[in-house]
Amino acid sequence: MEQALLNLWEAYRGRMASKELNEILERGICYSEISGSHRILVTGMNPSFRKGDPACEKYEVPFNYQAVVKGREDRYFTAFDRLFPEAYRAEVDYLDLLNIRETRQRTVWKFIRDPKGLELFAANLRMNQLLMEQVVRPRLIMVKNHGSWGLWGKDATAEGNIWMGYRFEPVEGFDALPSGEVLRIAGLIDHPDRVACRELKETNLKGTLVLFTNHFQYSAKEKLPTPELMAELCRRI
């Protein structure tokens, strides 16, 4: 994964139309080290770039989710790790859908308005979708960022907004949740705009439960998942 990301970054460094976007690529890559399957996956939009963090001085920043939460080193991760029943925590891993290091999401979305930025954005998303499909193969996914919901194909229309292009179906018993929406992956959208259209004709994630929820840092407590909800979802894997 690291070499693939380095190759992608090298292909686009200095090629953005915007100085701001070129400077973001110069920060390098941050990615989760995932080496095998995990029944539970939590996904974010992209890694932040926190001023004062020693990691900002490094071009390549890999991390291991289980090591981070066991060391209680980062409140971002421990905030959702403690929601899972203790018996399931060892089965959880984490993946950002993009590896662009930027704290402000509205700046990340500027990449799709830059022709070369859109190419990098889609290629990076495709890499992480294939990682989920071919390596992780989760049975429960928590999409922990409202801004990233559309990247799953949740808001797709006949005209576009396909991105990873999953089709979803409702799950009985999870209506009108204040913390988001629980759906089940039913397949892939048949559309040439899917980022992995050539590589994925079928999905390995059919039947996987997906909780679409919110960024914990910016949401009221009542709009966040509860331990009871996560326990019920884990029981349904």
Side-chain angles (χ1 to χ4, degrees):
M1 189 66 178
E2 178 177 292
Q3 192 56 54
L5 285 169
L6 289 173
N7 291 345
L8 179 63
W9 255 236
E10 191 60 31
Y12 286 94
R13 286 173 69 182
R15 298 182 65 192
M16 305 295 115
S18 159
K19 177 183 177 182
E20 179 184 28
L21 300 186
N22 282 316
E23 288 175 349
I24 290 173
L25 288 191
E26 290 300 324
R27 296 171 181 173
I29 57 173
C30 177
Y31 64 95
S32 175
E33 295 179 307
I34 301 179
S35 58
S37 62
H38 293 265
R39 289 206 299 167
I40 304 171
L41 183 68
V42 180
T43 69
M45 176 76 165
N46 68 282
S48 62
F49 192 74
R50 306 169 183 169
K51 292 186 178 180
D53 186 341
C56 292
E57 305 301 319
K58 301 176 182 178
Y59 190 80
E60 302 160 28
V61 184
F63 65 92
N64 180 282
Y65 168 77
Q66 284 291 334
V68 172
V69 293
K70 285 175 183 174
R72 318 307 289 176
E73 298 172 18
D74 196 307
R75 288 182 296 175
Y76 173 82
F77 295 109
T78 56
F80 59 80
D81 179 70
R82 62 172 176 256
L83 296 179
F84 290 99
E86 190 170 350
Y88 289 86
R89 289 179 189 172
E91 301 190 61
V92 181
D93 215 325
Y94 178 88
L95 181 71
D96 282 308
L97 297 180
L98 300 164
N99 302 97
I100 299 161
R101 302 176 68 190
E102 169 57 42
T103 303
R104 297 164 297 181
Q105 269 189 25
R106 61 179 175 270
T107 302
V108 174
W109 284 109
K110 289 182 180 179
F111 275 87
I112 69 171
R113 297 196 290 272
D114 181 297
K116 290 299 179 183
L118 176 59
E119 290 179 11
L120 178 138
F121 193 104
N124 192 189
L125 184 60
R126 178 171 60 250
M127 290 169 61
N128 284 307
Q129 183 178 16
L130 293 175
L131 180 62
M132 285 190 290
E133 287 274 352
Q134 298 171 350
V135 179
V136 189
R137 299 192 178 199
R139 306 314 300 163
L140 170 61
I141 301 172
M142 178 197 289
V143 180
K144 199 199 70 57
N145 187 300
H146 192 283
S148 70
W149 288 15
L151 296 180
W152 292 82
K154 187 176 184 298
D155 303 321
T157 67
E159 289 74 35
N161 206 22
I162 309 296
W163 297 110
M164 289 192 290
Y166 288 104
R167 290 190 295 108
F168 296 96
E169 61 186 15
V171 181
E172 187 177 351
F174 293 102
D175 301 328
L177 288 176
S179 57
E181 191 172 358
V182 175
L183 299 172
R184 181 183 289 111
I185 293 177
L188 291 169
I189 298 170
D190 183 15
H191 197 287
D193 282 354
R194 278 196 296 110
V195 293
C197 183
R198 288 180 296 178
E199 297 87 350
L200 290 177
K201 303 304 179 185
E202 304 282 347
T203 175
N204 291 317
L205 306 186
K206 189 173 182 178
T208 294
L209 296 173
V210 183
L211 168 62
F212 289 97
T213 188
N214 305 298
H215 195 299
F216 284 29
Q217 185 178 352
Y218 306 118
S219 301
K221 185 177 180 180
E222 59 271 18
K223 292 189 176 182
L224 298 178
T226 63
E228 292 76 18
L229 172 61
M230 298 316 302
E232 177 60 26
L233 290 172
C234 288
R235 283 194 291 270
R236 293 199 184 200
I237 292 178

